[in-house]
Amino acid sequence: MSEVKVTELGYIGLSVSNAAAWKEYAAEVVGMQVVDEGEKDRFYLRMDLWHHRIVAHVGTTDDLEYIGWRVGGPDDLDAMAQKLEQAGYAYKRGTEAEAKERHVLGLIKLMDPGGIPTEIFWGPRVDAGKPFHPGRPLYGRFVTLDEGIGHCILRQADDDAAYKFYRTLGLKGSIEYHLPLPNGMTAKPTFMHCNARQHSVAFGLGPMPKRINHLMIEYTDLDDLGIAHDLVRKRNIDVAIQLGKHSNDKALTFYHANPSGWLWELGWGAAKAPAQQEYYHGDIFGHGNEAAGYGMDIKLDGAS
Ligand code: MBD
Ligand code: FE
């Protein structure tokens, strides 16, 4: 079996029903750069020198549309395609038009076991001559580069099948928490990494109405997280999980509702991916539950 691995969570596509609300939120609350190229059906969110990290497709589902995992180059994409085929996963080669649409040099498309439209690509367009211009003043930047956008919690019906699929893509990890659920059961979420970011994907938090529960975005500077938190509070945006520090990635984070009604977790100070796995019964401090109904009614604050 080939040793090819994905290198980062490179891009995601979202369906957004309220483009104006999204543009305002992404720029003014989070600090992303909104890029509108005059296409009626989409706009882009920029977090670094890449052409974009997020495509917002104006639509109706207000959910994740697709997720893009990067490989190093064309040979790696061929090797990954071969590895997927050997493991019994069906995929389609992206056409030249599809690559152009994603602003990449090549890609394949497939479904993960949970039904998440998944793309594996190489060669993203990087606008090296266009400095990143945040949508609101930032002291620092977003943590991206070879750690990718952040992390996603995805809907999976079968955690073992999901683990096997993401292992095939080259990610590693395991169950990292045992957490009490409101129904008396225990959630045993799995967290997986493919680079220095502690996790790029996780699943196993119970049934979810959407393909995605949350996207985590990390600031390099604590003050940018604090200001984001002030802005969320000032705008009376629902906070599902209050400020607190995770036991696994050690990040200070909070979870709030984006204009599509699912969560963005904003954070700072995450530790790097571990060489050895361990698990926890709760977080270090904080992370109390607040607004209910966002699929994060798990008790993370069990430890203290
Ligand atoms: C995370 O980022 C997370 O979302 C949960 C639920 C637990 C640990 C780290
Ligand atoms: Fe998270």
Side-chain angles (χ1 to χ4, degrees):
M1 179 101 87
S2 139
E3 280 306 305
V4 65
K5 295 174 168 79
V6 297
T7 53
E8 64 175 289
L9 172 55
Y11 62 72
I12 58 171
L14 307 179
S15 161
V16 306
S17 62
N18 189 339
W22 260 99
K23 286 180 181 174
E24 184 184 311
Y25 161 78
E28 295 178 15
V29 177
V30 185
M32 291 182 176
Q33 181 176 2
V34 175
V35 177
D36 191 326
E37 298 186 335
E39 295 161 290
K40 283 205 180 62
D41 63 343
R42 72 194 63 186
F43 57 92
Y44 303 95
L45 302 179
R46 201 165 180 241
M47 297 170 63
D48 52 21
L49 292 179
W50 284 36
H51 176 269
H52 65 271
R53 289 289 191 166
I54 299 175
V55 190
H57 298 269
V58 182
T60 56
T61 59
D62 279 308
D63 199 352
L64 179 69
E65 286 282 300
Y66 50 84
I67 180 165
W69 296 95
R70 184 184 191 177
V71 290
D75 300 348
D76 299 306
L77 189 65
D78 288 343
M80 183 60 79
Q82 206 181 356
K83 192 175 173 188
L84 286 164
E85 198 161 301
Q86 279 166 9
Y89 297 108
Y91 67 89
K92 272 194 180 154
R93 284 254 163 211
T95 63
E96 222 168 287
E98 286 173 321
K100 193 167 169 221
E101 188 193 358
R102 293 288 188 264
H103 301 264
V104 300
L105 291 173
L107 80 165
I108 60 176
K109 296 189 177 189
L110 69 162
M111 280 287 178
D112 93 346
I116 309 292
T118 298
E119 303 177 357
I120 299 167
F121 73 95
W122 70 276
R125 172 172 160 184
V126 176
D127 289 334
K130 179 181 168 183
F132 171 68
H133 184 88
R136 67 164 165 88
L138 292 181
Y139 289 102
R141 286 291 176 254
F142 295 105
V143 176
T144 57
L145 301 177
D146 52 8
E147 291 189 42
I149 309 184
H151 72 246
C152 288
I153 306 299
L154 300 177
R155 177 171 66 197
Q156 299 294 331
D158 179 338
D159 289 0
D160 292 336
Y163 178 79
K164 187 171 159 268
F165 176 78
Y166 286 101
R167 282 294 292 127
T168 306
L169 294 198
L171 289 95
K172 290 181 87 165
S174 74
I175 287 169
E176 291 183 353
Y177 285 84
H178 285 181
L179 296 166
L181 285 168
N183 66 6
M185 311 244 307
T186 301
K188 296 178 180 174
T190 294
F191 296 76
M192 301 185 74
H193 61 270
C194 55
N195 53 42
R197 190 179 290 281
Q198 200 274 342
H199 58 284
S200 292
V201 69
F203 46 85
L205 285 171
M208 295 163 37
K210 298 190 191 234
R211 288 170 173 159
I212 188 166
N213 171 270
H214 69 261
L215 170 71
M216 189 271 199
I217 300 277
E218 187 181 348
Y219 296 103
T220 60
D221 197 300
L222 173 59
D223 295 342
D224 292 324
L225 176 69
I227 291 168
H229 187 260
D230 280 356
L231 289 164
V232 163
R233 291 305 192 181
K234 273 186 201 136
R235 292 174 187 226
N236 287 314
I237 295 171
D238 275 0
V239 170
I241 299 202
Q242 297 163 340
L243 270 172
K245 192 170 176 188
H246 286 308
S247 293
N248 61 350
D249 65 11
K250 313 292 188 263
L252 179 69
T253 74
F254 72 102
Y255 302 58
H256 68 282
N258 66 38
S260 287
W262 54 276
L263 300 175
W264 274 20
E265 178 185 12
L266 299 181
W268 168 81
K272 303 308 174 195
Q276 302 177 107
Q277 291 299 131
E278 56 192 40
Y279 82 105
Y280 314 95
H281 274 217
D283 275 343
I284 297 170
F285 65 82
H287 278 159
N289 302 97
E290 194 171 304
Y294 290 100
M296 278 302 268
D297 308 317
I298 48 165
K299 218 174 128 33
L300 278 166
D301 58 346
S304 51

